[in-house]
Every structure is written in structure tokens, then in C-alpha cells.
Amino acid sequence: MELTEAEFLRCYNVSLYERPSFTVDLVIFTVCDEQLRVLLVRRAEHPFKDQWALPGGFLDLQRDDSVENCAMRKLVEKTGMRAPYLEQLKTYGSRERDPRGWTATTVYFALMASNSISLAEDPEGVRWAPVQGEGVDKALAFDHAHILADAVVRLRSKLEYTHIAVHLLSEAFTLPELQQIYEIILQQPLDKSSFRRRVIQAGMLEEIAGKLRDGSGRPAQLYRFRDYGRKTFFPRSISRYAR
Amino acid sequence: MELTEAEFLRCYNVSLYERPSFTVDLVIFTVCDEQLRVLLVRRAEHPFKDQWALPGGFLDLQRDDSVENCAMRKLVEKTGMRAPYLEQLKTYGSRERDPRGWTATTVYFALMASNSISLAEDPEGVRWAPVQGEGVDKALAFDHAHILADAVVRLRSKLEYTHIAVHLLSEAFTLPELQQIYEIILQQPLDKSSFRRRVIQAGMLEEIAGKLRDGSGRPAQLYRFRDYGRKTFFPRSISRYAR
DNA sequence: CCCATTAGTTGCAACAAGAAACTATTGGAG
DNA sequence: CTCCAATAGTTTCTTGTTGCAACTAATGGG
């Protein structure tokens, strides 16, 4: 359905010029090579030409039925994955964040397993950058360093009370692998027996047949994530004071 | 700075018609009369004319420096408060949510103390509606019932690991008052001694001089919220398995 | 002065976590 | 074949937290 500008204005009773530029950006995390990494693309256009930025872009109002659909479409375009974990992070909108003026962007964060991704910087200017170190945070376009920092905070926080980390591994994984994901993201070693107790008692993993042989040492039991609809767990939450 | 449409298009390399209508809406909670209530306004225009809706509206690109500023401005306009709690909830954007076509709205949720609000429905069509019961959820315009439900989930969830409930009380409050806020929002009675232990041990409250005399019974100690910058606390978090 | 009422504390059993030592299962060297 | 390194997984014990109930404390009113 095409409208003239006049029709548009009558419909909405607000000038088109009152609308900020609106985009969708993605923070796509993976854990690879023992580091938390994020997908960056090199900007081809001004502003911030040739600097690294989070992938994203404008909505396609014809194709995208919703902001979430748009984010999912862009995620598939960039990574070619099928059923990734995708969650809305936050919307950033201000006059200052883009030198061209008022813009808003809704940012999603995604998690993907590191198998089947390529680490090498490819000619199109796409790169899996380690989140810590290498001054990644200082080199990013727009307010993307700030956005990335927020995403890392959210990711760390959600490790505490959800099972989202399983989306950073392939469908079948072992508990030592899962613990390593936690240790890499939280940047500290965890106690093995406490970690196992908690993850198992939360009851969202199930054993599957087969063991993972890793070259040396005892093979580890394989598990699969079982989504019972329960998204979070608070081991000792206030609502358990119920009498 | 005024631009012609042609300049605009050259800047952004995307048609204006590609931009969805963008608004900011508010879910303003208070606890009053032993119920969790939300501020609703009656719509004066189509669509959903005369139905109740969350307060909100378009950005003012001249006055609002950011989406958050816009939300704060609207909150002050609606409630006249000075330093309320305001947090971004989520952005809802799709072709379906408004019969006029593609729209996006960034929703903030706010908490305010129930003193100095008026409960009576005023002539301008503003109302503090109880969140539960009265079929509020079914009567709302657009997808506002869905948004309200999300806000309630977020509020309940954040009670578990933050102190945001203090923003529903005046600056000086007692622990029994705070516990009652929790019980109203979580819809279940809580154990007194466990509640007090946890809230005090989190270390974000400090005693202040004076006791609250409530007519009958022993007067209660007054407390004040002390914001140490720590926003959340997980009593037993995975990162405490650190070795 | 006693009692109802609400505030706040204490004591204890049950349970969860922290830490370390223990057993189990594999591959590989000799 | 045996032993050892290496990693997985369990057990045990101590310590701390929670659920619960009974207790004390402070106020107003009959």
C-alpha cells in the first residue's frame, strides 16, 4: 500500500520530519577460541567510514512484519543460522548518537554456537572480535561500544538465573563444556561440584546417549537442553518466603 | 535545523516512507488502596476512540534529546512528579499493532509513591486502574494489554533481586510497609522474619530517626533507601562459586 | 493494669553451598 | 599388560542460609 505524504500526514497527525531515523542492530555473541566474541562489520559509508560497527540497518516495512522479524531476518542474512537465540536488549535513541541527527535503534542480542562460523576476517569486512582486549570498545562506530557493554552486562547477568548459555554450544554438550562457557564469560574459575549441582538441580538438562571423547581423560556425559517453558530460576527467591 | 525532504533522503539513503511511526508509551505503577494500579488515559481520537490506553505519544525532536528524556517529560506532564523511578521496558513494533499500519513504540515503566495521587477519575479521562480484575486487560487499546502484562512480569521479577519496591513508598518507610508492597504485587503472603533478614542483609537500607505510629500496636522503625550503585543482588549467584 | 495489636528477635531444624578429597574412565607410554 | 596422566564425576564434611514457630517489645485503649 503506497500513500502520498499528504495521506500519511492526515493519518498520523504528525509531520514525517518528527520521526527519527529508526534502525535495528544486532549484538551477536559466540564463544570461540576460549574468548567471548561479537560479530562486527566494517562500515562502507560515512559517518564512521571504515570503522567497525554492530551489524544492523533499516527496517523493510514491506518484508518485516515486526521489529523482531526484522532482527531475525538480519541475523539469518549475516550468519546463515536457523534457530538461534534472539532477545531484545534495549532501544537507544537520541540526537547525539549519530552526527546526522536524531536516530533511534532497537538492539537485539543473539547467541550462537561457535561450530560452523569462520574466524578469519573475510573480504567483505566481517569479523568475530573478542569482546575483551584489543581495544574493541574504543574503535566502534556510533555508541556501539556502549551498546556492546550493556549487552555483556545483560549476558553475564542472565547466566546467573537462566540457561541461555546452552545456546552458545551445539545441541549436545557436556557439563565441563558448559562450565567453561560460564568461566569465559564471567572471567573467573568456578567450583566444579557446585556448578554441577546447581545446573542439574535446576532440571532443565537431560542426559542423552553417548559420551564425548576428547582425546585424553575420561569421556564426558552428553546433555541436551530441555525447554520446559520455565525461562528463569532463582534458587532462593523472595516469593519462596510464601507461608 | 530544518531540512527539505530531498536533503533528508540524501542523508539517510532511505525513503521517509520506510520509517515506522514511532512513539513512547508509559506504564506508570503505584500501589494504592492495597492494589497494584496503573495509570490509564481515555483515547480522544480514533482508532480505539474512548477506550483506555497507556499514556504516551510522539517524540518531540526539538525538545527531547533522547527517548529517555521524552519518557521522563511525558511522565512529569502526566503525574507532576520530580524524581521518579523510570526504566525502559521494551520496544514493540509491528504492522499489526495499529490498524493504521506499521508502528513502533518504546515503552518505559515507572514507579511512584501513592501519596499525592488522586484516585478519582478526573474529567480529562485519567484513571488509576487496578492491574488485576475489572477486566482492565481486555479493555485496553492497541496491544496495551499485552504490554501491561509484560510490565507486570518485569516488576514481579525485579522484586526478587532489586530494591525497586522502595520507589512505591515515600522516602521514609517501614519494613512492614515494604513487605506489604511485596505481598500485594506478588499476590501472596510472605514470612516476616525471612523477609526482614534478606532485605536488611542486602545492605541497601538505613535506619533513620523516628518511628511510625500507626494508631495501634508498636510503632515501626523508619528506613530510607541508600543507593550504593549496586542495582541488583543475587543471594546465591553462580559467580559466587568462584574459587 | 491488663489486653489487643502490631513490631521485631531468637532458636532451631532442614537444606544448600563451599571446598577438598575421593573414585571412575579413558588413552598412551613403556 | 601395567602404570600414569588427564579429565569426569561423586562423596563428605563444614559452613551458611532459609522456613518456621515461638518468643519478646512497645504502643494505645478499655
Side-chain angles (χ1 to χ4, degrees):
Chain A
M1 182 175 73
E2 280 290 335
L3 293 182
T4 65
E5 180 171 344
E7 286 170 323
F8 229 83
L9 296 183
R10 197 164 53 249
C11 260
Y12 285 90
N13 196 27
V14 62
S15 161
L16 276 178
Y17 304 113
E18 292 283 329
R19 296 185 190 174
S21 164
F22 184 72
T23 58
V24 173
D25 290 324
L26 292 169
V27 181
I28 309 169
F29 285 119
T30 197
V31 171
C32 181
D33 198 19
E34 304 199 359
Q35 285 188 294
L36 178 63
R37 290 172 183 266
V38 61
L39 187 69
L40 299 180
V41 297
R42 197 189 286 277
R43 282 186 61 79
E45 303 291 338
H46 283 292
F48 299 102
K49 187 172 181 183
D50 294 330
Q51 282 188 250
W52 294 101
L54 298 172
F58 293 96
L59 283 166
D60 182 334
L61 296 190
Q62 271 69 52
R63 294 165 64 196
D64 300 320
D65 291 334
S66 66
V67 180
E68 177 146 3
N69 279 162
C70 174
M72 186 65 82
R73 174 176 63 81
K74 287 175 189 294
L75 181 59
V76 171
E77 283 171 9
K78 297 287 177 194
T79 68
M81 26 177 356
R82 346 140 275 288
Y85 179 83
L86 185 68
E87 162 183 328
Q88 192 181 112
L89 176 63
K90 195 175 171 184
T91 295
Y92 299 80
S94 77
R95 203 202 313 278
E96 305 303 326
R97 59 182 299 277
D98 185 319
R100 293 168 294 184
W102 238 110
T103 59
T105 185
T106 296
V107 180
Y108 281 76
F109 94 93
L111 303 180
M112 57 179 291
S114 63
N115 50 2
S116 81
I117 69 167
S118 63
L119 250 186
E121 181 172 337
D122 74 52
E124 296 166 64
V126 178
R127 173 187 172 215
W128 287 99
V131 166
Q132 288 100 6
E134 297 191 32
V136 164
D137 47 330
K138 293 173 181 65
L140 297 188
F142 305 107
D143 53 354
H144 288 187
H146 179 218
I147 294 173
L148 176 58
D150 284 356
V152 171
V153 167
R154 172 88 132 249
L155 174 61
R156 287 198 176 127
S157 164
K158 288 204 111 172
L159 288 193
E160 304 282 3
Y161 61 95
T162 73
H163 275 130
I164 54 169
V166 300
H167 301 287
L168 293 164
L169 293 166
S170 47
E171 200 195 331
F173 55 87
T174 69
L175 294 192
E177 284 171 347
L178 185 62
Q179 182 175 344
Q180 199 195 18
I181 295 284
Y182 272 77
E183 291 175 338
I184 290 168
I185 296 174
L186 296 176
Q187 295 267 284
Q188 61 185 353
L190 301 178
D191 178 73
K192 179 173 53 167
S193 91
S194 299
F195 180 83
R196 295 179 140 270
R197 248 190 320 229
R198 170 126 156 196
V199 165
I200 302 239
Q201 280 181 10
M204 288 186 258
L205 301 186
E206 71 179 357
E207 294 188 3
I208 58 178
K211 307 263 184 178
L212 186 71
R213 274 172 199 71
D214 199 12
S216 72
R218 173 174 169 177
Q221 176 65 52
L222 287 170
Y223 288 84
R224 172 167 52 192
F225 177 57
R226 267 280 288 273
D227 190 348
Y228 293 104
R230 227 180 350 148
K231 295 278 184 262
T232 63
F233 59 96
F234 295 97
R236 292 271 173 103
S237 70
I238 282 201
S239 47
R240 284 172 56 183
Y241 298 168
R243 303 210 61 171
Chain B
M1 181 176 71
E2 279 292 335
L3 294 181
T4 66
E5 178 169 347
E7 286 170 324
F8 232 82
L9 295 182
R10 196 163 56 249
C11 262
Y12 285 89
N13 197 28
V14 62
S15 161
L16 276 179
Y17 304 113
E18 292 283 330
R19 295 185 192 176
S21 166
F22 184 72
T23 58
V24 172
D25 289 324
L26 291 168
V27 181
I28 309 171
F29 286 119
T30 197
V31 171
C32 181
D33 199 20
E34 304 198 0
Q35 285 188 297
L36 178 64
R37 292 172 183 266
V38 62
L39 187 70
L40 298 180
V41 297
R42 197 188 286 278
R43 282 186 59 80
E45 304 290 338
H46 282 294
F48 300 103
K49 188 173 178 182
D50 294 329
Q51 280 188 253
W52 293 101
L54 298 172
F58 293 97
L59 283 166
D60 181 336
L61 296 190
Q62 271 69 49
R63 293 165 63 197
D64 300 323
D65 292 334
S66 66
V67 181
E68 177 148 1
N69 281 161
C70 174
M72 186 64 81
R73 175 176 63 80
K74 287 175 190 296
L75 180 58
V76 171
E77 284 170 8
K78 296 287 177 196
T79 68
M81 33 177 348
R82 345 140 275 288
Y85 179 83
L86 186 68
E87 162 182 328
Q88 192 181 110
L89 175 64
K90 195 174 169 183
T91 295
Y92 299 81
S94 78
R95 203 201 314 278
E96 305 303 325
R97 59 182 299 277
D98 186 320
R100 293 169 293 184
W102 237 110
T103 59
T105 185
T106 296
V107 180
Y108 280 76
F109 95 91
L111 303 180
M112 59 180 289
S114 63
N115 50 2
S116 81
I117 69 167
S118 63
L119 250 185
E121 181 171 337
D122 74 52
E124 295 167 65
V126 180
R127 173 184 171 217
W128 287 99
V131 166
Q132 287 99 8
E134 298 190 32
V136 164
D137 48 330
K138 294 176 180 64
L140 298 189
F142 305 107
D143 53 355
H144 288 187
H146 178 217
I147 293 173
L148 176 58
D150 283 356
V152 171
V153 168
R154 172 88 135 249
L155 174 62
R156 287 200 176 125
S157 164
K158 289 204 108 172
L159 288 193
E160 303 284 1
Y161 61 95
T162 72
H163 275 131
I164 54 170
V166 300
H167 300 287
L168 292 164
L169 293 166
S170 46
E171 200 197 331
F173 56 86
T174 68
L175 293 192
E177 284 171 346
L178 185 62
Q179 183 175 342
Q180 199 196 16
I181 294 285
Y182 272 77
E183 291 176 339
I184 290 168
I185 297 174
L186 296 176
Q187 295 266 285
Q188 61 184 351
L190 302 178
D191 178 72
K192 180 172 53 165
S193 93
S194 299
F195 180 83
R196 296 176 69 90
R197 248 190 322 231
R198 171 125 157 195
V199 164
I200 302 235
Q201 280 179 12
M204 287 187 260
L205 301 185
E206 71 179 359
E207 294 188 4
I208 59 178
K211 308 264 182 178
L212 186 71
R213 274 172 199 73
D214 201 11
S216 74
R218 173 174 169 177
Q221 176 65 52
L222 287 171
Y223 287 84
R224 172 168 51 193
F225 177 57
R226 268 280 288 272
D227 190 349
Y228 294 105
R230 229 181 348 150
K231 296 275 184 264
T232 63
F233 59 96
F234 295 98
R236 293 269 172 105
S237 69
I238 284 202
S239 46
R240 284 174 55 184
Y241 299 167
R243 305 212 56 170

